């Protein structure tokens, strides 16, 4: 039997079937195109339609932004490219650009705004440097003390005794932060360690270590008091503030005050004490359920009535207070979300160790909750940055207010689109950077517990 | 430890350290401070109002408003009272927000699904759409749509005829549309529509029950469409088509008759729809992604058809993640519709909080009324949200 089959097999000559065609290319550029853009009839149609749409938008945008651009002109009338048609008047944007950023701030004083910004950046950079210690103190001093320095630099004029002290404290803090960061970067030890070393207190008992540090702080304070003694800036009343500068001032104060207020409100909302909880819930719900513009109108019309006789509140201050109240209510909800993410065991463990309420919140719960909250805080700041444009409706000249002012300037009358586009680009860059940063934080911080 | 402390001071210590008494003490202090703050604010306000000779009370609502409102579906005349202005504002705000909510949700679903498209180019375009819209302020977008598109429309004589209809025209006075004029028996058609919808709902419920009991799937699409459209149509024809259309027509320099919508309203509406659709798209995307891939695979391995996998397994679970944020987005649309004031659409904030307030000077009362409206809306919406959340939790396990 076997022999026969073997013979049969040998006699029938083996003919292989024709090989299958190679599978469609799934790698390389062509494979990528095939898989991502032309995967079936519907997908191909969508791709072609999208390409047409992109092409249409790009051609029109190019024509508007570049082909018709007029870069040099003294007024809107010179921007005509034909007797009936206006070109894209970038000259107007160029002419107004400083105003977009600084409002009506006097040109010769603009350096004050710039240097305050640089001081803030230098103050805050150490927070992002891994080698620097005491980051929390640096950040807190930046948020709590810097505003006095900035306020004086922006406003100028005479200093009363309170501002004199606060400004010199701020200058002292700034100097200390810079020295501290440099020492950390190059030697790896912070400023307090250096002071203790140099004064020879290192081998004394720990209790005495604070004295040389306090002495150093006093010296720095007196030094900066002496430093700023002769410095006097010209007064720049706040109706001259404007543009992106004002937008940043309002949203910056809003976010800086919203965080502590939001934490208190959120803790109050979760408190076991009924009166406190009810008041906090009422505040949060009231300010979250009405639009910001109504709060701003309320601020401009009602705050002057609330104040005792003889007190005055200007429009900017009312707007800032309104923005702070609004931001605090929203921040409270962000903080509440962060607190809810902390497992109950953490609260119970803290209590079991015998920590008081504020200790357990400050050392156990808040540090963990803050980690969850940072992405939301950043997006909250982004929202506030965008919402600050509303102050232009109550007549403040923020970035959008300046944009609207351009089209009312007699020599640039009717110039809308180009300034609006510029403002949109400025806001987009700011918000896009912030949202990308918050996504980065979400990837690196938020999931920390899961891994 | 406390054994050697004298009994009298022990009693005082226990009293001070007892959490209950401390809590009561704190609450009394906070409540006292709150009452003091409120009272002093009221006193200051009274003094200030007295020195400025401002009247207090809601009586002013009966006074004649005396100003015209550019657009309202209500029958409002300048001789009407401030109370009427309040209603006009509320209705305008609700119409603007209502239409925007529907369109924004619809557009958001489309963009959200496009963002998940397997087609790379489409997904990229959708994601840039979302990024650009979310990263620029809404107010800027409203002004942009108004000045960039709707303020540059041609004069009535050169109106744009949409789709070639003579009675559907767009010009710088607004969008003119034919206005339906129901006649005597039209209410029968409306009743028929309600009845038809109820029948359709019952039919669908019955089909679902049948399917759950027997596993047999009954398609209800065709009967539903037939009933919902057919029944009202039959009644409409039988009662002699009691509906006339009032067409807008060019008379002199402007169109007369028909319904019309202000360019400012169109601009605000487009801006609200487009802006919030970007947020809605992100919610839809996140919702769909929140359903794990195992669900799709499990459903397929049970032998469900592809369309059923989507309808019976993925979408119900995704909705659970989509609906709560979507409802708070709707709340935001209502709140953000107040930005219409920037380009002069007469919404509540514009007619009541600006014009009426400037005229009558009753700041406190007007601010309270406006805030009361927005609070009512948002409390209603969040009550609905709570009901929905409860319902979901029940079906969960």
């Amino acid at each position: 039997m076997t022999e026969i089959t073997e013979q049969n097999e040998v006699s029938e000559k083996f003919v292989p079937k024709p090989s299958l065609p190679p599978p469609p290319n799934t790698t390389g550029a062509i494979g990528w195109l095939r898989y991502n853009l032309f995967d079936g009839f519907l997908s191909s149609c969508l791709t072609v339609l999208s390409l047409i749409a992109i092409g249409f938008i790009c051609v029109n945008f190019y024509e508007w932004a570049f082909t018709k651009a007029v870069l040099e002109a003294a007024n809107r009338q010179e921007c005509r490219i034909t007797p009936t048609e206006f070109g894209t008047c970038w000259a107007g944007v160029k002419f107004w650009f400083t105003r977009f950023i600084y409002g009506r701030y006097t040109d010769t004083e603009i350096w004050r705004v710039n240097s305050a910004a640089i001081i803030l950046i230098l103050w805050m950079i150490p927070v992002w440097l891994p080698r620097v210690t005491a980051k929390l103190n640096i950040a807190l001093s930046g948020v709590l003390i810097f505003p006095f320095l900035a306020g004086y630099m922006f406003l100028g004029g005479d200093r009363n005794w309170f501002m004199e002290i606060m400004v010199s404290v701020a200058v002292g803090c700034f100097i200390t932060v810079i020295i501290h960061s440099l020492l950390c970067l190059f030697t790896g030890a912070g400023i307090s360690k250096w002071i203790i070393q140099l004064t020879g207190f290192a081998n004394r008992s720990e209790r005495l270590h604070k004295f040389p540090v306090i002495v150093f702080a006093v010296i720095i304070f007196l030094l900066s008091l002496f430093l700023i003694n002769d410095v006097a800036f010209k007064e720049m009343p706040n109706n001259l503030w404007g543009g992106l500068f004002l937008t940043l001032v309002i949203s910056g104060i809003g976010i800086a005050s919203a965080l502590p207020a939001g934490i208190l409100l959120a803790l109050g909302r979760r408190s076991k004490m009924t009166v406190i909880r009810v008041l906090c819930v009422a505040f949060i719900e009231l300010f979250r359920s009405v639009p910001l513009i109504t709060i701003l109108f309320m601020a401009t019309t009602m705050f002057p009535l609330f104040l005792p006789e003889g007190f005055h509140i200007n429009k900017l201050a009312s707007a800032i207070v309104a923005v702070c109240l609004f931001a605090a209510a929203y921040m409270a909800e962000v903080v509440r979300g962060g607190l809810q993410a902390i497992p109950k065991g953490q609260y119970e463990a803290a209590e079991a160790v015998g920590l008081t309420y504020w200790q357990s919140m400050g050392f156990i719960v808040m540090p963990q909750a803050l980690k969850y909250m940072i992405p939301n805080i950043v997006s909250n700041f982004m929202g506030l940055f965008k919402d600050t444009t509303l102050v232009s409706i109550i007549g403040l000249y923020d970035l959008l207010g300046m944009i609207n002012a351009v089209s009312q300037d007699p020599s640039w009358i009717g110039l809308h689109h180009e300034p609006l586009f510029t403002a949109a680009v400025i806001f987009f860059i700011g918000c896009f950077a912030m949202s990308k940063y918050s996504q980065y934080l979400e990837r690196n911080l938020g999931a920390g517990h899961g891994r | 430890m406390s054994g050697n402390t004298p009994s009298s001071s022990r009693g005082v210590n226990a009293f001070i350290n007892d959490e209950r008494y401390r809590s009561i003490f704190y609450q009394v202090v906070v409540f006292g401070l709150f009452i003091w703050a409120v009272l002093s604010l009221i006193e200051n306000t009274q003094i200030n109002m007295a020195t400025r000779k401002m009247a207090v009370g809601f009586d002013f609502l009966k006074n004649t408003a005396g100003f015209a409102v550019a657009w309202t579906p209500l029958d409002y005349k300048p001789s009407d009272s401030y109370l009427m202005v309040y209603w006009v504002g509320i209705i305008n705000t609700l119409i603007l927000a209502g239409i925007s909510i529907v369109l924004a949700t619809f557009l958001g679903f489309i963009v959200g699904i496009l963002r998940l498209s397997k087609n790379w180019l489409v997904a990229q375009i959708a994601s840039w759409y979302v990024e650009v819209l979310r990263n620029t302020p809404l107010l800027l977008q409203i002004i942009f749509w108004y000045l960039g598109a709707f303020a540059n429309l041609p004069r009535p004589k050169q109106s744009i005829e949409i789709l070639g209809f003579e009675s559907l025209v767009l010009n710088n006075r607004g969008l003119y549309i034919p206005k339906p004029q129901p006649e005597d028996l039209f209410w029968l058609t409306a009743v028929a529509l309600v009845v038809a919808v109820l029948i359709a709902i019952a039919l669908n419920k019955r089909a679902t029950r049948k399917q759950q009991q027997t596993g047999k799937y009954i398609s209800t699409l065709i009967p539903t469409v037939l009933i919902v459209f057919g029944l009202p149509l039959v009644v409409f024809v039988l009662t002699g088509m009691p509906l006339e259309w009032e067409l807008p027509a060019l008379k002199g320099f402007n169109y007369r008759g028909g319904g019309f919508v202000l360019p400012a309203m169109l601009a605000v509406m487009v801006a609200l729809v487009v802006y919030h659709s970007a947020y809605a798209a992100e919610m839809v995307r996140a919702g769909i992604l929140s359903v794990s891939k195992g669900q799709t695979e499990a459903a397929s391995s049970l032998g469900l058809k592809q369309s059923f996998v989507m309808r019976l397994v993925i979408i119900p679970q995704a909705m659970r993640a989509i609906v709560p944020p979507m409802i708070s987005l709707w709340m935001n649309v209502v709140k953000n519709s107040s930005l219409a004031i920037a380009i002069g659409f007469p919404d509540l904030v514009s007619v009541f909080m600006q014009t009426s307030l400037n005229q009558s000077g009753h700041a406190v009362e007007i601010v309270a009324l406006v805030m009361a409206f927005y609070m009512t809306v948002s409390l209603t919406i969040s009550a609905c949200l709570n009901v929905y959340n409860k319902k979901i939790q029940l079906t969960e396990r």
Side-chain angles (χ1 to χ4, degrees):
Chain A
M1 269 299 276
T2 48
E3 266 184 21
I4 297 168
T5 45
E6 262 175 23
Q7 266 188 349
N8 271 354
E9 270 184 13
V10 172
S11 68
E12 269 177 39
K13 201 177 172 207
F14 174 69
V15 183
K17 277 187 178 172
S19 55
L20 291 168
N25 207 348
T26 52
T27 55
I30 298 204
W32 186 89
L33 280 178
R34 196 195 299 268
Y35 182 74
N36 287 304
L37 297 182
F38 300 100
D39 188 19
F41 177 71
L42 188 68
S43 177
S44 307
C45 285
L46 280 175
T47 306
V48 172
L49 279 179
S50 314
L51 283 176
I52 292 172
I54 294 175
F56 180 76
I57 291 170
C58 286
V59 167
N60 274 311
F61 178 75
Y62 182 83
E63 197 178 310
W64 178 76
F66 297 103
T67 317
K68 286 195 201 163
V70 179
L71 294 177
E72 298 294 336
N75 58 48
R76 183 104 198 279
Q77 293 309 315
E78 291 179 16
C79 282
R80 286 177 195 274
I81 41 176
T82 63
T84 54
E85 197 187 1
F86 283 106
T88 308
C89 199
W90 294 120
V93 174
K94 215 162 82 183
F95 183 80
W96 275 84
F97 194 75
T98 325
R99 301 275 83 86
F100 290 166
I101 305 297
Y102 303 101
R104 291 184 291 154
Y105 218 78
T106 313
D107 279 338
T108 50
E109 304 293 323
I110 280 175
W111 66 269
R112 275 156 53 179
V113 178
N114 290 338
S115 36
I118 290 169
I119 288 176
L120 180 64
I121 291 168
L122 287 178
W123 201 316
M124 282 308 188
I125 279 179
V127 178
W128 277 268
L129 296 176
R131 280 173 69 102
V132 177
T133 54
K135 281 184 186 148
L136 189 64
N137 291 344
I138 298 176
L140 275 181
S141 66
V143 172
L144 298 178
I145 300 174
F146 171 74
F148 291 99
L149 178 62
Y152 178 67
M153 288 182 77
F154 296 155
L155 199 57
D158 295 329
R159 293 187 292 265
N160 55 21
W161 61 269
F162 177 72
M163 279 310 274
E164 188 82 27
I165 291 174
M166 288 319 290
V167 170
S168 37
V169 167
V171 171
C173 277
F174 177 61
I175 296 170
T176 318
V177 166
I178 294 300
I179 298 174
H180 171 76
S181 316
L182 290 176
L183 284 175
C184 279
L185 275 185
F186 292 112
T187 65
I191 192 161
S192 52
K193 272 197 189 140
W194 271 99
I195 296 166
I196 293 163
Q197 283 285 330
L198 290 178
T199 49
F201 272 74
N203 38 18
R204 301 272 193 90
S205 97
E206 286 236 352
R207 261 184 321 121
L208 301 173
H209 283 185
K210 56 181 180 247
F211 292 111
V213 178
I214 291 172
V215 170
F216 174 79
V218 171
I219 293 173
I220 285 278
F221 171 72
L222 293 174
L223 189 72
S224 32
L225 203 59
F226 174 72
L227 265 180
I228 64 162
N229 196 24
D230 292 336
V231 182
F233 292 139
K234 197 176 136 210
E235 186 169 353
M236 300 295 292
N238 59 29
N239 57 8
L240 295 181
W241 302 10
L244 182 64
F245 157 56
L246 185 68
T247 304
L248 287 174
V249 166
I250 295 175
S251 47
I253 296 178
I255 206 73
S257 66
L259 196 56
I263 289 176
L264 286 181
L265 281 170
L267 290 176
R269 192 174 182 159
R270 289 165 62 86
S271 160
K272 289 193 195 80
M273 299 182 226
T274 320
V275 171
I276 293 177
R277 191 176 63 237
V278 168
L279 287 178
C280 288
V281 170
F283 179 89
I284 294 172
E285 291 303 323
L286 171 69
F287 282 99
R288 272 167 51 88
S289 63
V290 297
L292 176 57
I293 185 71
T294 59
I295 303 176
L296 286 169
F297 271 121
M298 182 190 85
T300 47
T301 56
M302 277 167 70
F303 282 0
L305 297 179
F306 285 161
L307 291 176
E309 272 188 311
F311 280 86
H312 255 313
I313 182 162
N314 61 40
K315 216 184 231 172
L316 177 63
S318 329
I320 287 177
V321 173
V323 167
C324 288
L325 294 174
F326 179 78
Y330 275 80
M331 190 58 84
E333 286 301 281
V334 170
V335 177
R336 189 168 74 114
L339 290 177
Q340 273 172 349
I342 305 301
K344 212 173 169 217
Q346 297 287 326
Y347 293 88
E348 291 167 351
E351 247 173 61
V353 182
L355 296 182
T356 65
Y357 176 79
W358 290 108
Q359 282 173 332
S360 67
M361 283 300 156
F363 298 129
I364 310 291
V365 177
M366 270 303 159
Q368 300 183 61
L370 270 173
K371 212 165 142 186
Y372 283 110
M373 282 156 14
I374 287 176
N376 283 338
I377 293 175
V378 176
S379 50
N380 213 324
F381 184 64
M382 201 176 102
L384 196 62
F385 181 50
K386 288 193 293 176
D387 282 344
T388 307
T389 51
L390 265 63
V391 299
S392 65
I393 295 180
I394 59 164
L396 291 176
Y397 286 96
D398 76 322
L399 180 51
L400 203 57
M402 290 311 293
I403 301 287
N404 290 336
V406 177
S407 55
Q408 279 146 27
D409 177 6
S411 52
W412 298 100
I413 201 152
L415 184 69
H416 301 293
H417 300 164
E418 297 84 350
L420 271 175
F421 179 78
T422 314
V425 169
I426 293 174
F427 275 108
F428 181 79
I429 292 172
C431 294
F432 189 69
M434 273 190 265
S435 80
K436 285 289 153 207
Y437 181 63
S438 118
Q439 282 166 17
Y440 160 81
L441 286 174
E442 215 162 340
R443 274 197 301 277
N444 288 283
L445 289 174
H449 278 263
R451 281 177 208 148
Chain B
M1 211 181 101
S2 53
N4 47 11
T5 47
S7 62
S8 61
S9 81
R10 191 171 136 207
V12 172
N13 270 341
F15 185 74
I16 290 174
N17 287 328
D18 191 321
E19 207 176 300
R20 275 171 304 163
Y21 297 120
R22 257 209 270 178
S23 142
I24 290 171
F25 172 72
Y26 287 141
Q27 295 190 48
V28 167
V29 168
V30 168
F31 193 66
L33 282 175
F34 175 70
I35 294 292
W36 173 77
V38 168
L39 285 179
S40 62
L41 279 187
I42 290 175
E43 198 195 332
N44 283 340
T45 311
Q46 276 172 346
I47 294 172
N48 281 319
M49 287 173 97
T51 51
R52 288 166 213 204
K53 298 204 170 55
M54 287 160 76
V56 197
F58 288 94
D59 291 339
F60 80 98
L61 285 174
K62 294 194 203 96
N63 298 352
T64 305
F67 59 89
V69 171
W71 185 87
T72 171
L74 297 182
D75 187 23
Y76 168 83
K77 305 175 291 299
S79 58
D80 283 330
S81 65
Y82 281 115
L83 189 63
M84 188 63 187
V85 174
Y86 185 50
W87 290 123
V88 164
I90 288 180
I91 296 294
N92 282 0
T93 294
L94 287 180
I95 289 177
L96 174 63
I99 300 176
S100 307
I101 283 174
V102 173
L103 296 177
T105 313
F106 183 68
L107 189 60
F109 264 89
I110 294 177
V111 177
I113 290 166
L114 287 182
R115 274 205 76 177
L116 291 169
S117 164
K118 258 170 51 184
N119 188 316
W120 180 82
L121 197 61
V122 172
Q124 281 296 310
I125 291 177
S127 97
W128 278 100
Y129 172 88
V130 170
E131 290 292 354
V132 168
L133 290 171
R134 286 204 314 174
N135 289 327
T136 40
L138 175 61
L139 186 57
L140 198 144
Q141 290 185 26
I142 289 176
I143 294 175
F144 177 82
W145 282 108
Y146 183 61
L147 296 176
F150 292 100
N152 300 339
L153 291 169
R155 267 177 250 139
K157 293 247 173 191
Q158 288 94 36
S159 296
I160 306 164
E161 292 181 359
I162 298 166
L163 303 173
F165 287 111
E166 260 179 49
S167 51
L168 189 63
V169 291
L170 190 62
N171 57 46
N172 63 2
R173 306 286 176 88
L175 174 71
Y176 287 81
I177 48 174
K179 189 172 168 190
Q181 294 282 345
E183 285 168 18
D184 283 349
L185 286 171
F186 187 72
W187 61 272
L188 275 173
T189 310
V191 171
L193 181 69
V194 173
V195 172
V197 168
L198 289 178
I199 294 176
I201 291 173
L203 202 71
N204 277 299
K205 276 207 164 154
R206 203 170 138 250
T208 317
R209 211 169 52 231
K210 262 274 163 56
Q211 192 190 7
Q212 280 167 356
Q213 279 167 0
T214 62
K216 216 172 129 199
Y217 174 69
I218 308 157
S219 172
T220 53
L221 184 67
I222 295 169
T224 306
V225 171
L226 272 183
I227 288 173
V228 171
F229 289 96
L231 191 61
L233 193 71
V234 169
V235 173
F236 183 63
V237 173
L238 282 183
T239 49
M241 304 208 219
L243 188 67
E244 289 282 317
W245 293 89
E246 188 193 316
L247 302 177
L250 188 62
K251 287 203 183 107
F253 289 110
N254 204 356
Y255 275 82
R256 304 233 180 266
F260 95 107
V261 177
L262 285 180
M265 183 173 180
L266 292 174
V268 181
M269 210 182 284
V270 170
L272 284 174
V273 167
V274 167
Y275 181 80
H276 291 101
S277 75
Y279 284 87
E282 278 301 280
M283 289 162 193
V284 170
R285 187 180 79 107
I288 293 177
L289 286 180
S290 75
V291 181
S292 74
K293 209 178 169 211
Q295 296 286 327
T296 322
E297 292 168 349
S300 307
S301 66
L302 283 175
L304 281 179
K305 271 196 289 179
Q306 200 56 46
S307 56
F308 283 100
V309 173
M310 214 46 192
R311 259 200 13 228
L312 299 177
V313 180
I314 307 297
I315 290 179
Q317 297 189 67
M319 280 319 236
R320 226 173 253 172
I322 295 173
V323 170
M326 193 66 90
I327 291 177
S328 42
L329 183 77
W330 296 348
M331 225 155 91
N332 279 342
V333 178
V334 177
K335 286 192 275 176
N336 284 338
S337 67
S338 60
L339 297 187
I341 189 179
I343 56 171
F345 174 74
D347 78 321
L348 179 62
V349 173
S350 166
V351 291
F352 205 56
M353 216 169 185
Q354 201 172 41
T355 317
S356 301
L357 196 151
N358 286 345
Q359 277 194 14
S360 71
H362 285 262
V364 182
E365 298 89 338
I366 285 180
V367 168
L369 279 172
V370 171
M371 289 198 162
F373 165 72
Y374 282 104
M375 282 191 77
T376 316
V377 170
S378 76
L379 289 180
T380 317
I381 291 179
S382 58
C384 295
L385 183 62
N386 285 343
V387 170
Y388 178 83
N389 278 338
K390 280 245 169 67
K391 204 180 142 206
I392 281 182
Q393 273 168 8
L394 282 179
T395 53
E396 212 165 24
R397 51 194 76 185

